[in-house]
Structure formats: C-alpha cells, structure tokens
Amino acid sequence: MISDYAGEELYRGDLIAYAARQGNRVRMADGIIRKATTRLVDGRLRAMLQVQPTGIESGFVKRRSLRKEWVSTEHVRLITPDVTGERHN
C-alpha cells in the first residue's frame, strides 16, 4: 500500500497535489498518478509516483512542459480519488 502523508491510499488515476521544485523555489502542483512503485534510495525503500501534471499550480512562472515526472510520496496529498475512472476498468 502506498499512501500520502495523511495516510490516504494512492492508486493509478488519482488526482494529487505535490511539491515541485522550480529553480530555488518550491511550488504546489496538481497531477494525476500514472504509476506507483517503490525504489531503494540510500538503503531505504521509498514510495515513488510517476505523475502527469495537469498544469494547475502555484507560482507566477508557468511550467514549460507537462512531461511526466517521478515524485516521492513524502510531500503528496490526495485531492480526488479515481478521477480518470481507471480503477474500475
């Protein structure tokens, strides 16, 4: 089970908010989970999510591309479960 920082379970197709770096700053961004897995980082298993950004985010500078990116679940919060309907197919 992979969960956000509040303990809500995360699955493919869920809409989440996550912290994303922009230069020396951090912004909040919304994205849809495409893949959930774990990776061994510094001798510890860390939950990781492949996220497709939606383009909705904080900050003044717009994101240059909407490419998928890998994020740790350390700073992720579930917004809406199963927005794509993929869990029921």
Side-chain angles (χ1 to χ4, degrees):
M1 172 187 86
I2 295 178
S3 62
D4 65 4
Y5 64 79
E8 299 286 333
E9 292 184 26
L10 299 173
Y11 298 98
R12 179 181 170 93
D14 290 349
L15 178 65
I16 61 169
Y18 63 98
R21 293 202 55 84
Q22 179 183 2
N24 288 337
R25 304 184 67 162
V26 176
R27 63 176 169 217
M28 292 303 296
D30 290 357
I32 296 175
I33 298 173
R34 291 291 159 217
K35 190 183 289 185
T37 188
T38 56
R39 289 189 180 164
L40 190 62
V41 179
D42 297 327
R44 293 177 176 243
L45 267 180
R46 180 174 290 180
M48 300 291 289
L49 302 171
Q50 185 181 47
V51 177
Q52 176 72 55
T54 63
I56 299 175
E57 57 198 30
S58 66
F60 297 108
V61 179
K62 208 141 171 75
R63 181 184 289 268
R64 290 186 201 148
S65 74
L66 294 177
R67 65 173 164 56
K68 294 176 187 172
E69 55 191 14
W70 286 96
V71 298
S72 170
T73 59
E74 186 177 5
H75 300 291
V76 169
R77 181 71 168 128
L78 177 66
I79 297 175
T80 308
D82 200 25
V83 293
T84 60
E86 296 178 37
R87 202 179 307 171
H88 298 291
N89 290 338

